[in-house]
């Protein structure tokens, strides 16, 4: 630890606190105030509306399915990246990070290019078989899963590196086959990384906007998620309800992270 | 024979730069009888751990075969070889209690619960961890963890017990204790055991038979006495103890007789240039009159005292009767 002298220490603290306040705390507080500007009654009335309820339900369904898919693939990919050597490993690793660096709107457009029902590369064939991806739940889940793909992998990979494969080798030498080793040894060791990755993904999926907007078609009462509803309410000059919906979205995400930090065992127990 | 290794070769593709593949094991053949405690001894990077891991099935050989208890195990996965493996860094299951760690192999084999419980307790008593059954591994010391790992490996009643530098990560005192204890345990349990070490004292003290491995090849196989008294080559002699050169031969520093006056035929005269006392022994360096590099000599403290040796003393050196000597290479 570097020892700073007292005035410098205070200056650094002030700088950091000021930065976080201006960037995060103040805007969030302002949003909460706006959400409740018309009183609590108006907010509860808003959530009585069918279109709002449907938007939240859809958001939940899409997010949960996308997270489950990412959980399975994320853990599998992590094991592949850490425990095995194969040609193209670095390419795969770079591809995993792609969704982090590419704007979600681009992701949506890319999916449209491949799966679009009329002009897509693969879409018309699927349409012919009666499978619709774009403008349906499937497309929205795909877009959301794409965007949140790196979160589980990037949580799990460093932990897998850290625990090494000693324990897995020991389990194998004691007679455990691959599934037994995975369920009894590997998974319990990476449990908290997986939980953390899932929660981050969930928070990310609930808030996904750009990619979903492109592939969903934004049909009210059908493919309109909570974030899309926020936008349409805002443009319809219903700012207060836009803020109220935003507030609930933010609340759920914060709750996710709080729950995990409570569940997570203290470091170095 | 419990373990038969035939013509084992292991090469790794070359790392960037050199085009030659790295040869970890070079046509190694070895047979280890049932019930014996064998040490694989050699310098780091010599291939001994690779050999052990191939026997366990944790690594695969490039060519060659491994037979365990008469069964060809070359392509069997580790879980079907019935070997117990103990790792240098213990490889404890961190999220399980000590008892659960030991019971793991038996639970995988779906043994009845009562039997698992009874045998776990027995094994924990055997490794003196009876009262630690409900602790987590993080609450144990290094030596205790390694004993737990040993109990865990023994729990599956392996036909072969393999230990990879089992005491390498422990401090000197615990190391010595565990070494004695492993010897006694082996006398009790009698399972065919192979352990890897780079410490010649450890190998000599514990093993029935030592296999000296260097640069992917077996240099010599024999009992500790055989290896010490009849080293097959320069490397084995040098690895099992200090070696010095006296005239035309190489021999151990304690196999040199020191006299303070001329007399013996063929004695090499010289001057003591360094004198160092370590515990009960005194180490000398003697510069021979004819040149050719300093000769190291070790003698007991009382002997050095009786001869009244000090820096600058003139001495006459001869090889002791019965000393192990090998001809010195020209131009060392």
């Amino acid at each position: 630890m570097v020892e700073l002298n007292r005035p410098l220490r205070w200056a650094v603290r002030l700088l950091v606190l000021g930065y976080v306040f201006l960037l995060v705390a103040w805007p969030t507080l302002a949003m909460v105030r706006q959400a409740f500007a018309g009183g609590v009654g108006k907010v509860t009335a808003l959530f009585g509306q069918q279109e709002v309820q449907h938007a939240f339900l859809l958001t939940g369904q899409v997010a949960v399915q996308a997270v489950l898919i990412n959980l399975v693939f994320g853990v599998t990919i992590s094991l592949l990246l850490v425990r095995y050597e194969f040609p193209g490993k670095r390419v795969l690793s770079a591809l995993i990070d792609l969704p982090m660096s590419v704007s979600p709107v681009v992701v949506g457009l890319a999916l449209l290019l491949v799966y679009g029902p009329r002009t897509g590369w693969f879409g018309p064939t699927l349409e012919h078989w009666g499978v619709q991806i774009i403008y349906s739940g499937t497309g929205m889940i795909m877009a959301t899963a794409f965007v949140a793909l790196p979160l589980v992998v990037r949580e799990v990979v460093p932990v897998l590196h850290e625990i090494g494969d000693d324990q897995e080798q020991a389990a194998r030498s004691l007679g455990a086959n691959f599934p037994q080793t995975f369920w009894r040894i590997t998974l319990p060791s990476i449990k908290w990384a997986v939980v953390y990755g899932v929660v981050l993904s969930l928070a990310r999926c609930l808030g996904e906007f750009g990619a979903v907007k492109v592939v969903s078609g934004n049909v009210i009462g059908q493919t309109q998620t909570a974030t899309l509803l926020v936008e349409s309410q805002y443009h319809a000059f219903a700012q207060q309800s836009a803020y109220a919906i935003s507030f609930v979205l933010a609340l759920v995400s914060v709750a996710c992270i709080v729950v995990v930090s409570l569940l997570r065992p203290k470091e170095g127990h | 024979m419990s373990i038969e290794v035939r013509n084992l070769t292991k090469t790794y593709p070359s790392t960037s730069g050199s085009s030659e593949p790295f040869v970890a094991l070079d046509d190694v053949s070895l047979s280890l009888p049932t019930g014996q405690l064998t040490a694989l001894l050699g310098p780091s990077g010599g291939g001994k751990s690779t050999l052990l891991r191939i026997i366990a099935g944790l690594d695969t050989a490039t060519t060659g075969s491994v037979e365990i208890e008469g069964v060809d195990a070359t392509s069997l996965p580790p879980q079907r070889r019935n070997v117990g493996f103990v790792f240098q860094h213990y490889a404890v299951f961190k999220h399980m209690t000590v008892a659960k760690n030991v019971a793991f192999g038996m639970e995988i084999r779906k043994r009845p619960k009562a039997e698992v419980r009874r045998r776990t307790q027995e094994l924990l008593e055997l490794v003196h961890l009876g009262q630690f059954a409900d602790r987590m591994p993080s609450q144990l010391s290094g030596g205790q963890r390694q004993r737990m790992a040993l109990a865990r490996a023994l729990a599956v009643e392996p036909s072969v017990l393999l230990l990879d530098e089992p005491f390498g990560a422990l401090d000197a005192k615990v190391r010595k204790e565990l070494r004695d204890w492993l010897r006694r345990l082996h006398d009790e349990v009698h399972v065919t055991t192979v352990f890897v070490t780079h410490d010649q004292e450890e190998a000599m003290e514990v093993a029935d038979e030592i296999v000296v491995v260097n640069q992917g090849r077996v240099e010599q196989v024999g009992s500790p006495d055989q290896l010490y008294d009849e080293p097959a080559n320069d490397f084995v002699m040098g690895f099992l103890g200090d070696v010095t050169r006296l005239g035309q031969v190489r021999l151990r520093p304690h196999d040199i007789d020191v006299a303070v006056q001329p007399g013996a035929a063929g004695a090499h005269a010289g001057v003591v240039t360094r004198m160092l006392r370590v515990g009960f022994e005194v180490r000398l360096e003697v510069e021979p009159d004819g040149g050719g590099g300093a000769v190291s000599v070790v003698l007991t403290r009382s002997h050095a005292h009786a001869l009244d040796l000090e820096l600058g003393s003139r001495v006459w050196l001869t090889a002791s009767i019965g000393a192990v000597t090998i001809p010195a290479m020209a131009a060392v």
Side-chain angles (χ1 to χ4, degrees):
Chain A
M1 237 2 197
V2 185
E3 279 291 326
L4 297 177
N5 60 32
R6 187 176 284 256
L8 190 58
R9 205 157 57 207
W10 278 102
V12 170
R13 280 181 199 173
L14 215 63
L15 190 73
V16 171
L17 282 176
Y19 179 75
V20 173
F21 178 77
L22 288 175
L23 199 64
V24 181
W26 196 11
T28 310
L29 277 174
M31 184 191 73
V32 175
R33 276 190 46 195
Q34 272 294 317
F36 289 98
V40 181
K42 263 195 148 172
V43 176
T44 45
L46 180 71
F47 285 93
Q49 288 175 29
Q50 215 193 349
E51 125 192 6
V52 177
Q53 285 177 353
H54 182 271
F56 270 99
L57 190 67
L58 184 64
T59 301
Q61 284 171 343
V62 168
V64 166
Q65 291 178 68
V67 166
L68 285 179
I69 291 168
N70 273 344
L71 169 65
V72 173
F73 281 94
V75 172
T76 312
I77 292 170
S78 306
L79 280 173
L80 213 58
L81 282 178
V82 178
R83 295 285 186 259
Y84 299 93
E85 285 301 326
F86 53 91
K89 182 167 155 171
R90 294 176 69 158
V91 177
L92 177 65
S93 182
L95 273 177
I96 302 292
D97 281 334
L98 193 68
M100 284 288 208
S101 45
V102 171
S103 162
V105 180
V106 178
V107 173
L109 288 174
L111 286 174
L112 208 59
L113 269 182
V114 177
Y115 298 104
R118 254 168 288 285
T119 54
W121 183 77
F122 196 45
T125 320
L126 286 174
E127 180 106 323
H128 181 71
W129 293 338
V131 181
Q132 195 193 355
I133 290 188
I134 303 301
Y135 309 132
S136 79
T138 319
M140 292 161 74
I141 292 167
M142 279 172 68
T144 312
F146 187 134
V147 167
L149 176 66
L151 295 170
V152 171
V153 178
R154 292 300 157 214
E155 282 290 323
V156 173
V157 162
V159 178
L160 275 176
H161 270 299
E162 191 195 316
I163 60 170
D165 58 356
D166 270 16
Q167 296 184 54
E168 287 160 22
Q169 288 186 1
R172 301 260 284 155
S173 78
L174 289 168
N177 57 27
F178 181 80
Q180 286 169 324
T181 308
F182 176 76
W183 289 108
R184 287 168 184 252
I185 304 299
T186 314
L187 196 58
S189 314
I190 59 171
K191 181 173 64 183
W192 286 108
V194 171
V195 170
Y196 216 69
V198 162
V199 170
L200 284 177
S201 303
L202 189 63
R204 180 75 186 79
C205 289
L206 288 173
E208 177 44 33
F209 175 75
V212 169
K213 176 160 181 169
V214 175
V215 299
S216 73
N218 199 4
V219 184
I220 297 167
Q222 283 183 37
T223 58
Q224 190 175 54
T225 62
T227 46
L228 298 180
L229 183 61
V230 170
E231 196 212 18
S232 73
Q233 293 279 339
Y234 187 82
H235 286 315
F237 301 103
Q239 260 120 2
Q240 198 247 327
S241 54
Y243 284 122
I245 298 164
S246 308
F247 168 69
V248 174
L249 277 173
L251 200 66
V252 174
S253 296
V254 170
C256 286
I257 289 166
V258 169
V259 166
V260 167
S261 56
L262 288 180
L263 281 177
R264 196 173 215 180
K266 296 276 172 284
E267 298 297 323
H269 68 98
Chain B
M1 287 291 152
S2 186
I3 304 175
E4 277 284 352
V5 169
R6 284 194 204 95
N7 309 103
L8 219 56
T9 297
K10 172 77 177 174
T11 53
Y12 291 100
S14 61
T15 43
S16 56
S18 68
S19 56
E20 290 275 295
F22 174 71
V23 182
L25 290 175
D26 187 4
D27 196 26
V28 169
S29 295
L30 200 61
S31 51
L32 305 172
T34 307
Q36 183 175 274
L37 178 51
T38 311
L40 296 181
L41 175 67
S44 307
K48 52 196 187 329
S49 280
T50 308
L51 177 56
L52 196 75
R53 291 175 61 85
I54 291 175
I55 296 173
L58 297 172
D59 266 339
T60 47
T62 314
T63 57
S65 67
V66 176
E67 207 174 86
I68 298 172
E69 298 277 328
V71 179
D72 181 22
T74 315
S75 50
L76 281 184
Q79 68 265 31
R80 293 182 49 208
R81 295 191 180 201
N82 200 32
V83 296
F85 201 93
V86 174
F87 297 80
Q88 178 176 4
H89 296 287
Y90 329 128
V92 297
F93 302 142
K94 288 185 191 131
H95 59 285
M96 297 182 190
T97 62
V98 171
K100 278 277 170 200
N101 262 277
V102 174
F104 184 85
M106 294 185 275
E107 282 176 356
I108 290 288
R109 284 167 173 70
K110 303 213 161 45
R111 297 275 160 76
K113 279 218 166 73
E115 188 196 320
V116 171
R117 207 172 313 121
R118 182 180 52 77
R119 206 163 141 64
T120 302
Q121 198 53 39
E122 265 174 31
L123 282 160
L124 285 176
E125 299 293 344
L126 183 72
V127 300
H128 309 299
L129 289 173
Q131 66 276 49
F132 295 105
D134 297 322
R135 298 257 183 110
M136 294 307 279
S138 57
Q139 294 168 290
L140 302 183
S141 70
Q144 289 170 331
R145 275 182 224 185
Q146 197 56 300
R147 296 210 305 265
M148 182 196 85
L150 205 62
R152 182 175 74 180
L154 287 172
V156 299
E157 290 170 26
S159 38
V160 177
L161 182 63
L162 306 170
L163 305 100
D164 189 5
E165 303 250 2
F167 314 131
L170 301 167
D171 62 57
K173 188 165 173 290
V174 179
R175 223 181 143 111
K176 192 143 172 42
E177 271 169 32
L178 277 191
R179 204 192 271 178
D180 297 344
W181 177 83
L182 175 67
R183 180 68 243 183
R184 282 202 306 274
L185 184 80
H186 182 262
D187 295 340
E188 258 174 70
V189 189
H190 272 306
V191 56
T192 309
T193 305
V194 183
F195 77 102
V196 160
T197 180
H198 59 256
D199 180 342
Q200 80 281 358
E201 201 185 311
E202 193 166 287
M204 306 267 263
E205 212 178 294
V206 180
D208 298 320
E209 189 172 76
I210 298 176
V211 178
V212 182
V213 181
N214 180 40
Q215 293 187 329
R217 255 169 272 171
V218 173
E219 300 275 358
Q220 191 175 5
V221 182
S223 70
D225 288 349
Q226 272 171 353
L227 257 61
Y228 200 83
D229 296 339
E230 303 151 36
N233 55 36
D234 228 28
F235 174 81
V236 174
M237 180 151 181
F239 199 75
L240 286 180
D242 293 332
V243 178
T244 189
R245 180 178 167 181
L246 181 65
Q248 295 310 305
V249 297
R250 283 159 63 75
L251 73 176
R252 305 216 182 276
H254 61 252
D255 278 344
I256 295 177
D257 283 340
V258 180
V260 283
Q261 47 218 338
H268 298 262
V271 178
V272 176
T273 52
R274 274 190 67 192
M275 205 168 151
L276 180 70
R277 190 199 146 188
V278 181
F280 63 88
E281 63 180 38
V282 175
R283 298 177 192 169
L284 304 180
E285 267 182 26
V286 177
E287 194 64 45
D289 291 350
V295 182
S296 308
V297 183
V298 172
L299 56 173
T300 63
R301 190 168 149 67
S302 44
H303 191 189
H305 204 72
L307 293 173
D308 203 16
L309 288 176
E310 57 190 33
L311 273 183
S313 297
R314 257 194 101 60
V315 290
W316 282 262
L317 307 176
T318 45
S320 315
I321 295 164
V324 178
T325 59
I326 53 176
M329 308 272 189
V332 178

